[in-house]
Amino acid sequence: MIPLGPGVLILAIIALLQNKQYKVLWGLTIVFTLINIIYFPVYFLPTNTSFADQTIEVSAVSEELNNWLSYHWQRIFFASGALVTSILAISKTMVEGNNN
């Protein structure tokens, strides 16, 4: 997670700076990626650590796993959104390049 998320974010920012014509799509890609990244230090890192260190109360494990799964699906949604918007920006750029 650590190298991939920020790496994708940096590439999306570079793409935005080089291709301002599709700034809305690249902007959405950046926002979706940033939201996805934020989930890790805010929720997943401490929660996964509590599981690994066995510091979570046994009675809370079931509910926390449900929360974990819910947040995981949210991250999948944002990652998918970033993927779709970046593909749209790239494909529009390629079509435009072929028309010139």
Side-chain angles (χ1 to χ4, degrees), residues 14-46:
I14 291 169
L16 172 68
L17 295 173
Q18 291 184 350
N19 185 349
K20 293 187 184 199
Q21 182 174 358
Y22 299 110
K23 66 183 174 186
V24 171
L25 290 171
W26 286 118
L28 286 170
T29 300
I30 291 166
V31 169
F32 291 151
T33 302
L34 188 57
I35 292 170
N36 191 294
I37 290 169
I38 290 171
Y39 273 91
F40 182 73
V42 170
Y43 177 76
F44 286 99
L45 184 61

Side-chain angles (χ1 to χ4, degrees), residues 39-80:
Y39 273 91
F40 182 73
V42 170
Y43 177 76
F44 286 99
L45 184 61
T47 303
N48 291 350
T49 301
S50 74
F51 286 135
D53 295 344
Q54 299 178 6
T55 56
I56 186 170
E57 292 292 324
V58 173
S59 60
V61 169
S62 179
E63 182 180 348
E64 196 56 57
L65 284 174
N66 286 331
N67 291 336
W68 193 98
L69 186 59
S70 175
Y71 289 128
H72 182 66
W73 278 111
Q74 291 172 32
R75 285 183 70 202
I76 290 172
F77 169 79
F78 288 116
S80 298

